[in-house]
Amino acid sequence: MYKIYIKDTLLVLIDSKDLQKTKVMMGNELVAKYSGKKKYLLNFIDKAEKDSKCNCIIIYSDDLMKLWKDFKSLFKIVKAAGGLVLNKKREGLLIFRRGFWDMPKGKMEKGEKKMEAAVREVEEETGARNIVVEGKLATTYHTYKYKINKRVLKKTYWYLMHTTTSNLEPQAEEDIELAEWKNLDKFLNNKDIEVHENIRELISYYVNAVRV
């Protein structure tokens, strides 16, 4: 299964044999079988970009690898890395940028290793130091447009980290207005907070499946 966020619409690409259990899990609104034509995929991508009422689209195929390959061919692939950083209280380090709460992340530089990039981005965007990586957390996908009809599929490698840093300094040149420690349970329960759905899902995954 591949889960991609297009704005706040979740697009799921899945093998036909796993369709029924996924439909129950996702509570989907739209389900379709892949015809094998890339133009078919573009129709759903365009719908997700324009229709805010469509929460979930599931596209299934007997050949998931072909479906995934065809989907990726419609985008420029950008790799990024970032971190869910915790302090001694196990609060999470979040940033506020362009109207949304987010987690520190950024594009990997040429020749840079994933974990090194994740630590560098956290330090640059938040001013946090003494970062210790606890392990891998998850890999996420989301899309965005640049120029007029150019699309990017960003693959982000996330790591779970901790630090003793208390002083934070948001990176203003990257449009980061705030860098703050947040109680993650309260953050998830506050439905009025503006946060991208892929970030909300990632925090929820940590709180409900990873945290001990």
Side-chain angles (χ1 to χ4, degrees):
M1 181 196 304
Y2 295 93
K3 298 168 68 174
I4 306 101
Y5 274 96
I6 303 176
K7 292 189 174 180
D8 284 336
T9 296
L10 175 60
L11 177 67
V12 179
L13 308 180
I14 193 166
D15 193 289
S16 300
K17 66 179 184 295
D18 297 319
L19 177 62
Q20 290 305 317
K21 60 183 180 182
T22 302
K23 287 171 66 177
V24 173
M25 180 176 66
M26 295 294 176
N28 64 82
E29 292 189 4
L30 179 60
V31 181
K33 184 172 183 179
Y34 181 42
S35 67
K37 298 180 180 180
K38 295 180 185 180
K39 185 177 180 181
Y40 181 86
L41 293 175
L42 283 172
N43 291 334
F44 288 103
I45 293 169
D46 187 63
K47 179 177 179 59
E49 290 173 341
K50 296 178 179 178
D51 186 1
S52 60
K53 296 180 182 179
C54 186
N55 297 322
C56 182
I57 299 173
I58 296 177
I59 302 176
Y60 64 97
S61 172
D62 296 333
D63 188 347
L64 179 58
M65 288 301 99
K66 182 181 185 306
L67 171 56
W68 179 231
K69 181 179 179 181
D70 288 352
F71 181 84
K72 289 192 296 181
S73 71
L74 301 172
F75 296 84
K76 175 183 177 182
I77 309 297
V78 171
K79 293 184 178 181
L84 173 53
V85 188
L86 306 172
N87 62 12
K88 290 181 179 180
K89 297 179 181 179
R90 305 304 276 182
E91 295 170 321
L93 177 51
L94 300 179
I95 60 174
F96 189 75
R97 171 165 45 193
R98 300 170 192 144
F100 288 86
W101 286 99
D102 201 347
M103 296 198 303
K105 66 181 183 303
K107 295 179 184 178
M108 295 171 56
E109 296 178 354
K110 186 176 181 180
E112 192 174 29
K113 294 182 179 179
K114 297 189 288 289
M115 190 168 66
E116 291 175 352
V119 172
R120 174 182 57 77
E121 286 292 339
V122 168
E123 291 178 341
E124 290 177 354
E125 293 195 343
T126 69
R129 296 292 183 266
N130 304 317
I131 302 293
V132 177
V133 177
E134 297 184 8
K136 295 179 181 178
L137 182 61
T139 301
T140 63
Y141 296 91
H142 74 275
T143 72
Y144 61 90
K145 274 188 174 182
Y146 71 105
K147 297 182 180 179
I148 299 177
N149 289 315
K150 302 295 184 180
R151 292 182 170 96
V152 168
L153 174 64
K154 180 176 279 189
K155 180 178 183 179
T156 304
Y157 303 96
W158 294 99
Y159 291 84
L160 185 63
M161 308 174 178
H162 70 262
T163 181
T164 56
T165 296
S166 56
N167 295 326
L168 302 173
E169 186 176 345
Q171 190 179 21
E173 57 266 36
E174 289 294 327
D175 298 326
I176 301 174
E177 300 175 44
L178 300 169
E180 295 182 354
W181 296 107
K182 298 286 188 181
N183 178 296
L184 296 179
D185 294 284
K186 291 181 179 178
F187 184 84
L188 288 175
N189 289 330
N190 189 341
K191 302 304 180 183
D192 295 327
I193 289 178
E194 293 292 339
V195 56
H196 296 296
E197 284 303 314
N198 62 324
I199 298 299
R200 186 187 297 277
E201 182 177 315
L202 188 61
I203 295 173
S204 180
Y205 169 68
Y206 164 74
V207 168
N208 297 307
V210 176
R211 185 175 62 181
V212 293

